[in-house]
Structure formats: C-alpha cells, structure tokens
Amino acid sequence: MNGSDFALHTDKYEINMMYAHWKHGTANDRAVFEAYFRKLPFGNGYAVFAGLERIVDYLQKLAFSEEDIAYLARQEENYDPAFLDMLRGFRFGGTLHAMREGEIVFPNEPLLRVEGTVMETQLVETALLNFMNYQTLIATKASRIVQVAQGDTLLEFGSRRAQEADAAVWGARASYIAGFHATSNMLAGRKFGIPTKGTHAHSWVQGHDTEEEAFRRYAEALPDQVTLLVDTYDTLLSGVPNAIKIGRMLESKGKRLLSIRIDSGDIAYLSKEARKQLDQAGMPYVGIVASNDLDEHIIFNLKAQGAKVNTWGVGTHLITADDQPALGGVYKLVAREKDGRLVPVIKISGNPEKVTTPGKKDVYRIINRTTGLAMADYISLYGEEDVTEGKRIKLFDPLHPYLYKHVSNYTAERLLQPVFEKGKLVYTMPKLDEIRRYHQERLKLFWPELLRKLNPDVYPVNQSVAVYELKMELLRAFAKEE
Ligand SMILES: Nc1ncnc2c1ncn2[C@@H]1O[C@H](COP(=O)(O)OP(=O)(O)OP(=O)(O)O)[C@@H](O)[C@H]1O
Ligand SMILES: O=P(O)(O)OC[C@H]1O[C@H](OP(=O)(O)OP(=O)(O)O)[C@H](O)[C@@H]1O
Ligand SMILES: O=C(O)c1cccnc1
C-alpha cells in the first residue's frame, strides 16, 4: 500500500458513523479528539513518541479512489449514492496538533489532538492510532535497549521476524529515532536515510567446503566491510582461529578485519575467550558483534557478566515488542459542537481509569528553573493562561488531589505542536537525524531514576484546577441516583 491508498485503512464503524452524521445533517459539526495511552509499556518509566511522519503523509494524501467508492457501494449498509458522491471530494481539512517525534511522553496526556468536522476526525481514528501505537511502542522498546547498551553500537536485525513488511520498515525507523545506530533493512535505509549494516549468514559458511575458504572468499569480495560469523562449527576452536587467519590476510593487503559475530552459545564466555584470542593475535581492533534472541534484559546481564561485546544485533524481541506487543493508545472525543459552540464531553465508565478527561486540552512540561529538570507534565484547558504566563500554578495528581504543591520557579514548554491548520500542513518535518538527536536531548530533562528499566520512578502527569473541576462538574451532571 502506498500513502495514497489508505482511505479505507479504517474500521467500518467509522464509515457508518460518518454516514449516520451525513444522513442527519451533522457531518460538518465540529469535534475535538485526543489520542493518548493509559499505561506505559514494558514497565518503563516513559515512552518515546513516534509515528508522526507517517500520520502526516496519510493525512496529506487522504482521498477516496473510484475503486474505494465502488467497494463502499457494494456494502450491505446500502450507503446512499449521494454520500458516496460526497466522498469523492473528501480531503482532510482539519487541524492536528501532535507531540514531536522522539519526545518523551507519559500516560494520560494527549499525544495527538485532532479538530475538524465529525466526518474527518472520525474517519482518521483507526489509521492514526495504528501508526502512533506501533511506532511509539517500538521506539520505547528500542530506547530501553539503548539505555542498557551504554554507548555500544546497536543494529536492528528484526525484518525477518517482524509482523510483515510495514512493521519491519517503520520499526527500523522507530528504533533509529530511539538511538539504534543502523538497520539491516535496506528499504528502511533507502527510504529514511538510516545507516545500513550487514554481516553474513550461516548459509555462507555452509555453502563452502571449509569455514576458512568461506571466510577468505567473503573477505576477498568485500575487503572493506568484513564481519565474519564464527559460530557455524566451533566458535573458539575453528571460527575465531579462522577469522584471525583472514585478519592476517587483510592486514597483508593494508586492510583490516572489522569484527566477528557470535550468534549462539554462552555469549559472555565466548566473547571473552574470543577477545583474548584476537588480542593475543595482535588484533585488538577487531570488534565483537553478538546476536541471538537478545533483548534489554539479556544485554544487561551479559554486560554484568563482563561480555566483551561492542556491537549488539537485536531482532525478534525488539521488532515484535514481544513482552508487550501492543500499546493501548486510544482516541477519545473531548469536545463537540452544540448550538454553534464547542462543548466538553465525557465518557463515564465503571473502571475509573477509563473515565475520559473532558475538554480541548494542552500539555506543558514544567521545568524547574534551578535544576533545569522536568518536574511534571501539566494538562490545562486550551487557552488557560496562568501556565503560559509563568504564573504560580498548583501541581497535583488528579487521583490524589489532596496532595499538592504550588510552583512559580518554572518554565513551561508547550508539547503539542501545530502540524495541520484547517487542512494545511504548517509543520516542517525535521530530518530523521534531528529527531534522533532531539530524543537524546529530551532524555536529559529527566532524573536517572526515571530512566532505569526496572521499577523506575513515576513521573507526575498533573492537571490544572480547571481541567479537574470540569471533569468533576460533568461527572456530577451524570451522577446516578438510586
Ligand atoms: N551468558 C549468557 N547469559 C544469559 N543469557 C545468555 C548468555 N549467553 C547467551 N544467552 C542468551 O540465551 C538465549 C539462549 O541461548 P542458547 O545458547 O541456548 O542459544 P541457542 O540459539 O539455543 O544456541 P545454539 O544455536 O547453540 O543451540 C539467547 O537469548 C541468548 O542471547
Ligand atoms: O535473534 P534475533 O534477535 O531475532 O536477531 C536476528 C537473527 O536472525 C538471524 O538468524 P537466522 O537463524 O534467521 O539466520 P542465520 O542463518 O543467518 O543465523 C541472525 O543470525 C540472528 O540470530
Ligand atoms: O547482518 C546480519 O548479521 C543479520 C541481518 C539480519 C538478521 N540477522 C543478522
């Protein structure tokens, strides 16, 4: 699917609601939706927002083709042909505010705010959540791996195990945003300018009479980028000694063996022994790449065991986020047009976590002027001025409003950026390397206790008094009496 073929990348209920609005003459009423997730994945202390590039491409190209219209005409809902005719001219004319890609984000704060007609805001729900949820999930998983790798080189190897092609390509991009250094996926490399890296497979060694011959022929063909996979037969007795022979051959030609790769067995033990052999052979410059079902926990453990690995190839566990394969981001209506005015709306649930926070809102990062560190994220109603003017504000957790403090010594950064204004793209997409740098910079705003992978501190996401009171007011209005 290319970007212009996504109009029907939506759930049928969105089309049905659009149709029902159209039938009742309310299709062009205004609506405001916000997208957020309720729980951080992997027990992490933060998430890394990603997906905006694809969202922008999708919204820009959003249009129904004749094939789409013909398909809709065949549905058992019997949509009125006049509705389908109207869809022919449909374009996204709404307003989108979004977090920057690479931003550090937290539960229950809007990551996207979409304002427009009920038609257009409803149609885009599925695709926006699909892009945001997957890419944010993978960027967050990758960021955890980056934290434990402590500056080692990280290669994304997941394509063959990803949930299909889009996941491989966009997952490679999300990993790069979070600090991975390269991907093995050449399409992701070409599309996004991500550096690409590749070694060779076991099949290369199996495809020759001897391991030494396989290594030699590989090195002869690609003398500038030789990484040899040393574990096909016996890592320490044949793989590394053969790699050293090839290292010598390369040296005699004024070249250098770049690295060896270990893909099975006890990586801590084998890498230490391989390091010794390489050093004793006078090749301290040869790096050691490890792969084989790695994730942040195994890398952390291998480092604790003193593994002599300087490059980690990570595939399956990263690209499938296998310990939590979905981010539960939701897209909720927060305000709608009534009698010509936008009014806040609420969704009530027996599960308190699922009660929505009404009203069109903004998110600010409150930064302590003295420490330069983030103290809390602060959700205000759109247009509330105290926070933008730097006045004294009250910080409290909406779940425990009796615990609060006032702050004045802060700067407030507005996190949601204007991306589309009434259908017009007003945002200059940063280059991928800028996004990646931005992510690294943003991490510096947080204390290390929040960034650790195990039992991190909980970062406060607070609400303004006005947001809290509006929610209470709507809850009271719907309170039941028995
Ligand atoms: N020293 C170690 N400490 C903790 N985990 C390790 C260590 N060495 C390897 N692992 C991890 O243990 C898992 C299984 O390793 P194992 O050696 O059983 O791999 P394997 O693929 O079964 O090996 P082989 O291909 O030799 O059968 C992998 O996820 C690997 O990354
Ligand atoms: O383990 P992952 O984190 O998913 O990383 C990708 C894996 O894919 C390759 O194995 P595969 O057995 O598919 O091919 P090979 O013959 O090249 O080893 C590679 O050797 C890694 O082990
Ligand atoms: O280049 C590699 O070593 C590689 C690429 C993809 C998957 N596994 C390994």
Side-chain angles (χ1 to χ4, degrees):
M1 265 194 301
N2 70 40
S4 55
D5 196 19
F6 271 86
L8 292 186
H9 182 44
T10 190
D11 293 302
K12 192 172 211 178
Y13 80 166
E14 319 282 12
I15 305 269
N16 285 345
M17 288 186 279
M18 288 164 70
Y19 183 67
H21 271 299
W22 178 83
K23 269 297 223 198
H24 294 293
T26 52
N28 289 322
D29 284 4
R30 315 290 305 162
V32 184
F33 282 85
E34 290 172 358
Y36 57 96
F37 61 85
R38 299 190 179 101
K39 197 167 170 289
L40 282 161
F42 322 117
N44 210 42
Y46 63 92
V48 182
F49 179 73
L52 185 60
E53 167 130 344
R54 195 160 202 199
I55 288 173
V56 166
D57 184 57
Y58 159 75
L59 292 176
Q60 267 188 310
K61 294 177 179 160
L62 189 55
F64 291 89
S65 66
E66 281 310 313
E67 210 183 327
D68 294 336
I69 302 285
Y71 177 71
L72 288 170
R74 295 197 297 274
Q75 301 302 302
E76 56 198 5
E77 279 77 4
N78 293 317
Y79 302 120
D80 186 327
F83 170 73
L84 301 181
D85 210 35
M86 180 275 299
L87 289 185
R88 286 197 167 87
F90 178 91
R91 295 289 179 277
F92 179 73
T95 294
L96 170 71
H97 284 69
M99 294 284 183
R100 293 182 174 95
E101 286 192 294
E103 186 59 271
I104 309 296
V105 295
F106 298 94
N108 298 311
E109 61 188 21
L111 309 183
L112 305 173
R113 190 181 70 221
V114 190
E115 186 169 359
T117 64
V118 283
M119 287 263 287
E120 63 200 357
T121 52
Q122 200 68 68
L123 174 68
V124 301
E125 167 176 6
T126 313
L128 262 46
L129 286 180
N130 182 211
F131 302 146
M132 173 190 104
N133 277 329
Y134 175 69
Q135 294 189 40
T136 299
L137 185 76
I138 301 305
T140 306
K141 181 77 178 169
S143 187
R144 284 169 69 73
I145 298 170
V146 173
Q147 295 290 330
V148 301
Q150 298 174 344
D152 292 348
T153 302
L154 286 166
L155 311 178
E156 185 281 309
F157 276 178
S159 296
R160 62 190 59 201
R161 308 271 151 63
Q163 326 294 25
E164 263 276 7
D166 272 5
V169 172
W170 289 95
R173 181 177 180 277
S175 308
Y176 187 67
I177 288 176
F180 267 59
H181 299 87
T183 176
S184 60
N185 186 297
M186 294 298 282
L187 181 58
R190 195 207 70 197
K191 265 171 99 85
F192 307 124
I194 304 173
T196 52
K197 291 269 181 237
T199 74
H200 68 76
H202 293 107
S203 58
W204 178 259
V205 180
Q206 293 167 284
H208 292 80
D209 290 341
T210 65
E211 187 180 56
E212 187 183 337
E213 185 197 346
F215 285 0
R216 188 170 30 77
R217 288 172 74 86
Y218 189 79
E220 281 166 359
L222 295 129
D224 296 315
Q225 283 295 317
V226 190
T227 295
L228 299 172
L229 176 58
V230 292
D231 71 345
T232 306
Y233 304 121
D234 189 309
T235 302
L236 298 178
L237 291 181
S238 93
V240 181
N242 279 329
I244 289 171
K245 284 186 201 154
I246 301 310
R248 297 232 187 287
M249 178 197 92
L250 285 165
E251 279 178 352
S252 72
K253 295 184 175 171
K255 305 269 181 190
R256 277 184 158 188
L257 173 62
L258 207 60
S259 42
I260 59 165
R261 176 161 75 96
I262 301 172
D263 187 51
S264 59
D266 185 319
I267 293 170
Y269 171 74
L270 293 175
S271 65
K272 283 188 263 189
E273 292 300 313
R275 181 76 273 154
K276 274 189 218 156
Q277 290 189 24
L278 290 164
D279 290 351
Q280 279 162 10
M283 294 179 186
Y285 57 85
V286 176
I288 301 182
V289 183
S291 52
N292 187 18
D293 273 339
L294 297 172
D295 65 10
E296 66 273 38
H297 308 294
I298 295 176
I299 295 174
F300 186 81
N301 269 286
L302 288 170
K303 287 183 87 71
Q305 293 167 45
K308 296 282 185 204
V309 172
N310 61 299
T311 300
W312 307 89
V314 189
T316 314
H317 291 290
L318 165 62
I319 210 73
T320 65
D322 73 335
D323 47 341
Q324 186 181 325
L327 179 75
V330 295
Y331 181 84
K332 296 290 170 190
L333 185 68
V334 294
R336 72 178 177 101
E337 183 176 341
K338 191 174 174 215
D339 306 325
R341 273 186 340 111
L342 264 188
V343 295
V345 296
I346 192 166
K347 155 83 180 74
I348 299 182
S349 163
N351 177 353
E353 277 184 9
K354 291 199 168 177
V355 178
T356 63
T357 302
K360 174 176 165 182
K361 298 181 287 297
D362 250 322
V363 198
Y364 293 88
R365 186 144 296 160
I366 306 298
I367 297 169
N368 183 316
R369 275 187 203 269
T370 310
T371 62
L373 294 177
M375 301 162 72
D377 281 5
Y378 179 82
I379 303 175
S380 67
L381 290 179
Y382 180 77
E384 260 190 72
E385 283 171 1
D386 282 7
V387 64
T388 48
E389 291 174 2
K391 292 196 180 135
R392 181 171 175 265
I393 53 170
K394 182 173 172 180
L395 292 185
F396 66 98
D397 178 345
L399 289 179
H400 310 286
Y402 42 85
L403 293 175
Y404 61 88
K405 64 180 173 189
H406 285 98
V407 291
S408 318
N409 180 31
Y410 70 87
T411 48
E413 290 180 345
R414 178 183 259 138
L415 298 183
L416 292 175
Q417 303 299 307
V419 180
F420 283 89
E421 296 282 4
K422 300 205 166 87
K424 188 170 171 293
L425 184 65
V426 293
Y427 184 68
T428 312
M429 285 302 297
K431 297 218 172 357
L432 190 57
D433 279 317
E434 283 171 48
I435 296 174
R436 191 167 178 274
R437 271 197 300 278
Y438 181 72
H439 171 62
Q440 294 307 319
E441 282 304 308
R442 298 302 278 176
L443 284 167
K444 294 182 189 152
L445 278 180
F446 299 92
W447 55 97
E449 291 76 8
L450 185 92
L451 304 180
R452 68 170 175 243
K453 77 177 169 65
L454 185 66
N455 298 327
D457 260 8
V458 177
Y459 180 74
V461 176
N462 294 164
Q463 290 179 354
S464 74
V465 173
V467 169
Y468 184 77
E469 284 181 349
L470 177 64
K471 188 164 180 173
M472 293 304 128
E473 189 187 313
L474 290 203
L475 281 170
R476 274 194 299 273
F478 284 97
K480 284 183 272 182
E481 210 165 300
E482 285 185 0

